[in-house]
Structures are given as structure tokens and as C-alpha cells.
Amino acid sequence: MSFFENFIDEGTNHLIVHHPLPNDGLKYGTVAKKIKTDVRENLYFFKANRQIRRFRGETNYVNPPENHLFEMKDCDVLHNHPNGSSFSIADVEAIVRYNALSLTVVSPENSYSVERPETGWNIDFSEPLIGAYMEEAVSTTETFLRKLEAQGEIFSSEKGQLENHYIRSIFFQLLNIGYEKKVEI
């Protein structure tokens, strides 16, 4: 599956692409604060805290043209998810494919980060392997959350908020990649 298959306009069958915007000159920390509450997705590339590229998307995706993604190499990538979720598999696939230094996804409540291991990403994104890791992460998470709920440690309404984070945490653990969630204040 291509990274871009999710961005086909069903009405026209054309690829929906968000073209780069002019550099707004903002630093990493300023951008993170600015986009964490934005209702549209944003994607920024930084090298040494200097912005080199930015894109603005829709409410549930941003799709930069493939001819700009090579610029992600050795960059700190900053992205927001207005819905509050952690990384998508497409986010991870992109940073691995283009060898980004790190990825941080921000939302109003949390931020999620991964950094390229010193040995490199070394992830095989073939469907059977990633699918198996994701399946194991989902299964382990479901079992763990059911146990917490049965013990009265969480309410049923809290499961959804925790599920995505735990799945990503276990997924990255299986891949030996550090993953961090921070609660935004």
C-alpha cells in the first residue's frame, strides 16, 4: 500500500496534495504551541531548530507532495492531530522511509514523540511484519485495558482515550524504538 493511497478524491479520482507554504520563520517550540489547537492538520520540517518546510492540510490529514518528502531526511518533524490521537501508521512509515530524525505529534491534551535510534530506523514495513506487530500491540492492549477495567482501575469511558496510546507504546516497544507521551499543560 502506498503512503498516498489514502488521499484520492473519490469524486475526481485525483490525488489530493497540499503544497508547501512559505516559511513563516517560527521556531520549533513556537510552532508546537501554535498548531496544537489548530482544527486542521499541519506538518513542519526543522533542521537545527530552523524551519525548512511547512504544509497545512484538512481536519484529518495533510498530504505533502512526494517530491518534497525527501527534505524530511535528518529533520525533526512536527505534526498535529486535532482529534488528539497518537501517530498513524502512515506517519511512522513516512519518517522511516525518508529517514527523519524525530517525529512529534501534538494535540490539545498530549504530545507523542519518537526519535530515530542511533542504529537507524531499520524497520521492515512489509505488510505481514508490521501487521503482525500491530496485531500483537492491539491484542495486548485490549487484554490489559479489560483487566484494568475489571479491577476498577479505569472506567469504560476512559478506555478509548488510553487505547491508541497503549497500542503505539507496545508497537514501538516491539520495534525497539523509544516512544514518549507527554500530557500538555
Side-chain angles (χ1 to χ4, degrees):
M1 178 173 132
S2 165
F3 174 71
F4 296 100
E5 284 181 23
N6 297 325
F7 307 109
I8 303 295
D9 183 305
E10 293 179 13
T12 64
N13 206 28
H14 291 111
L15 184 66
I16 300 169
V17 176
H18 296 100
H19 293 282
L21 297 170
N23 187 331
D24 59 11
L26 298 176
K27 300 291 185 201
Y28 188 93
T30 304
V31 170
K33 290 176 187 171
K34 173 185 164 186
I35 67 172
K36 75 180 197 172
T37 58
D38 196 335
V39 297
R40 291 173 61 185
E41 288 196 15
N42 296 269
L43 180 67
Y44 284 75
F45 304 163
F46 292 88
K47 278 196 179 176
N49 199 29
R50 224 177 115 234
Q51 183 189 132
I52 63 166
R53 188 68 62 208
R54 74 179 177 121
F55 302 89
R56 185 164 165 86
E58 305 304 321
T59 57
N60 61 348
Y61 69 92
V62 59
N63 185 22
E66 194 158 10
N67 64 335
H68 284 283
L69 292 178
F70 77 93
E71 296 173 316
M72 202 182 295
K73 182 176 176 21
D74 297 325
C75 280
D76 292 301
V77 177
L78 182 61
H79 182 33
N80 70 314
H81 282 178
N83 66 2
S85 67
S86 181
F87 307 109
S88 69
I89 292 300
D91 293 338
V92 177
E93 183 181 0
I95 64 166
V96 168
R97 180 185 295 166
Y98 296 102
N99 203 19
L101 186 60
S102 69
L103 170 64
T104 298
V105 169
V106 296
S107 72
E109 299 85 26
N110 304 300
S111 66
Y112 307 90
S113 305
V114 291
E115 289 186 12
R116 181 177 63 205
E118 287 185 23
T119 57
W121 288 110
N122 300 319
I123 298 173
D124 177 6
F125 256 95
S126 63
E127 182 54 40
L129 184 59
I130 292 302
Y133 283 148
M134 188 55 72
E135 198 173 294
E136 184 174 343
V138 168
S139 174
T140 303
T141 297
E142 288 173 351
T143 301
F144 178 67
L145 291 177
R146 273 196 305 273
K147 181 179 176 184
L148 288 178
E149 187 179 13
Q151 294 172 341
E153 294 183 37
I154 63 169
F155 295 108
S156 176
S157 60
E158 295 173 293
K159 281 173 58 174
Q161 297 169 4
L162 297 172
E163 187 173 35
N164 196 359
H165 165 62
Y166 285 146
I167 289 170
R168 297 306 182 257
S169 182
I170 294 166
F171 176 78
F172 286 115
Q173 186 177 19
L174 291 169
L175 293 168
N176 294 315
I177 294 174
Y179 167 81
E180 182 179 25
K181 174 186 176 183
K182 294 181 183 174
V183 176
E184 297 295 317
I185 300 173

